[in-house]
Amino acid sequence: MQVTATSLRRALIALTAAFSSVGLLAELLRARLGSHPACSLLSLSFEGNLPSWYASALPLLCAALLAWVSASETADRRHWQALALGFLAISIDEAVGLHELLGGLFTTTGLLHFGWVIPASLLVLALALAFLGFLRRLSRETARRFALAGAIYVTGAVVFELPLGWWSEQHGDDNLGYYLLDWCEETLELVGLTLFASALLTRLTGRELRLTA
């Protein structure tokens, strides 16, 4: 069976849209019905369910695609490989929640209720500076796609933690407002990862993957 970059890109977009839409429905139902097995299975806020599996599978796919790209790149190969390792780390973090352990290092309130956003923001800034030259050496279209995907992902993964933390402190985390903020955060992460994977697949166009038995 031959899997083309175009077909895989369409499948990712469809899956992301489906998980986001069903996740929103799950949050609305949870606010009305309370705890329900279907909500736990499909909510983007819960761990160990279908959306959390997809959220960890997406960066793992990105890591694999980056490794594939790096295999044929002569320029900036180390940058491609570093990105592959970085997305592998994101996949592991999505599965086990390592970033939450950083929150215990800070005693903060209000918008910084989730203290781990402090080291996360510093890490994002450091990575942006470290890869600025790499982005400039890419084609303008590829750099634009990478930058857009990264901005959307960081908005969800880091920036949205600020209003979510404030709301959690003021109103708790068992209400519709919290559910919707969390849904927006998780959806932005999925969209950012999907756009990045799509940009990588565009770069790999013409290099089809063949699955044989």
Side-chain angles (χ1 to χ4, degrees):
M1 180 176 65
Q2 182 171 295
V3 180
T4 65
T6 300
S7 61
L8 184 53
R9 182 166 53 245
R10 289 174 178 171
L12 288 176
I13 293 172
L15 281 171
T16 295
F19 274 111
S20 177
S21 300
V22 173
L24 177 58
L25 179 60
E27 303 301 350
L28 296 174
L29 290 176
R30 182 154 66 114
R32 186 173 182 84
L33 304 177
S35 180
H36 190 279
C39 297
S40 301
L41 179 66
L42 300 173
S43 169
L44 273 63
S45 303
F46 282 78
E47 302 294 335
N49 61 3
L50 291 177
S52 66
W53 165 80
Y54 185 64
S56 63
L58 261 181
L60 185 61
L61 174 63
C62 289
L65 293 174
L66 284 163
W68 192 358
V69 170
S70 71
S72 59
E73 293 290 334
T74 55
D76 291 314
R77 177 171 294 178
R78 290 185 178 180
H79 285 83
W80 291 105
Q81 293 172 342
L83 282 173
L85 291 175
F87 276 87
L88 177 61
I90 291 174
S91 176
I92 294 172
D93 181 62
E94 286 287 351
V96 301
L98 292 175
H99 66 276
E100 296 177 0
L101 300 177
L102 297 175
L105 301 177
F106 303 89
T107 303
T108 51
T109 60
L111 289 174
L112 296 177
H113 176 74
F114 298 121
W116 68 266
V117 299
I118 298 174
S121 300
L122 295 175
L123 177 61
V124 168
L125 179 60
L127 289 174
L129 293 175
F131 281 86
L132 183 59
F134 169 72
L135 279 177
R136 287 176 174 173
R137 289 188 291 273
L138 294 172
S139 69
R140 179 174 298 181
E141 182 63 20
T142 299
R144 184 189 67 81
R145 291 178 178 179
F146 279 16
L148 176 61
I152 292 175
Y153 179 80
V154 170
T155 298
V158 179
V159 177
F160 247 80
E161 286 288 303
L162 302 178
L164 186 67
W166 178 86
W167 185 276
S168 178
E169 191 173 276
Q170 297 294 320
H171 306 285
D173 58 4
D174 191 17
N175 52 75
L176 181 59
Y178 182 91
Y179 301 159
L180 293 179
L181 282 171
D182 201 27
W183 174 82
C184 288
E185 174 188 329
E186 299 295 336
T187 293
L188 286 171
E189 291 184 30
L190 293 181
V191 170
L193 289 168
T194 301
L195 288 177
F196 187 68
S198 297
L200 291 172
L201 287 167
T202 297
R203 192 177 183 89
L204 288 166
T205 297
R207 284 183 266 180
E208 287 80 8
L209 176 65
R210 295 179 182 274
L211 304 177
T212 59

